[in-house]
């Protein structure tokens, strides 16, 4: 399956991701641009008429249309999160008394389409 098609800067070619054999390959036409890495299926970003940025193997890389090997761009980011404080709701799974109906989840028709299986 083809993903993220992108015209080359000169408009003469198309760069796209092709998924087969459980891997994503960065291609131009039928020729692989990246075959030694697991490319992520995101659009390439053009730096100029030859060089492009792409993501593969958990990193950002630069490569040329005409076969130069990848150059990795070092990148890291620290993310700090704060977990909100709240009172957890207590679930009562033991009670056998009546409870209000809150909705119907995933209703389906019976094989004969005459009644719902849950209505039996």
């Amino acid at each position: 399956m083809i993903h993220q098609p992108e015209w080359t800067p000169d408009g003469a070619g198309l760069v796209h991701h092709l998924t087969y054999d459980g891997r994503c390959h960065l291609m131009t036409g039928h020729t692989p641009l990246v075959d030694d890495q697991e490319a992520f299926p995101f659009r390439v970003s053009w730096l100029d008429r030859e060089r492009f940025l792409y993501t593969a193997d958990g990193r950002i890389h630069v490569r040329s249309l005409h076969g130069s090997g990848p150059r990795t761009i070092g990148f890291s980011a620290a993310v700090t999160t704060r977990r909100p404080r709240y009172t957890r709701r207590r679930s009562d799974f033991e009670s056998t008394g009546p409870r209000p109906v809150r909705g119907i989840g995933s209703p389906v028709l019976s094989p004969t389409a005459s009644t719902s299986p849950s209505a039996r």
Side-chain angles (χ1 to χ4, degrees), residues 22-109:
R23 291 192 58 180
C24 185
H25 305 269
L26 187 58
M27 311 282 288
T28 179
H30 296 290
T31 307
L33 288 172
V34 175
D35 58 0
D36 56 342
Q37 296 171 304
E38 174 88 30
F40 297 161
F42 303 118
R43 282 181 43 210
V44 300
S45 294
W46 296 98
L47 298 174
D48 54 36
R49 296 180 70 78
E50 294 287 319
R51 297 177 307 137
F52 58 92
L53 290 169
Y54 67 99
T55 52
D57 297 335
R59 294 188 169 90
I60 301 171
H61 302 279
V62 177
R63 225 182 248 241
S64 170
L65 277 175
H66 299 293
S68 68
R71 183 174 61 87
T72 301
I73 297 176
F75 177 84
S76 67
V79 178
T80 304
T81 60
R82 282 192 328 187
R83 195 172 186 175
R85 293 182 172 262
Y86 62 92
T87 304
R88 288 184 170 237
R89 186 179 132 198
R90 295 190 62 168
S91 298
D92 178 15
F93 297 114
E94 306 299 322
S95 173
T96 58
R99 297 182 190 194
V101 175
R102 303 278 185 208
I104 299 172
S106 304
V108 295
L109 291 175

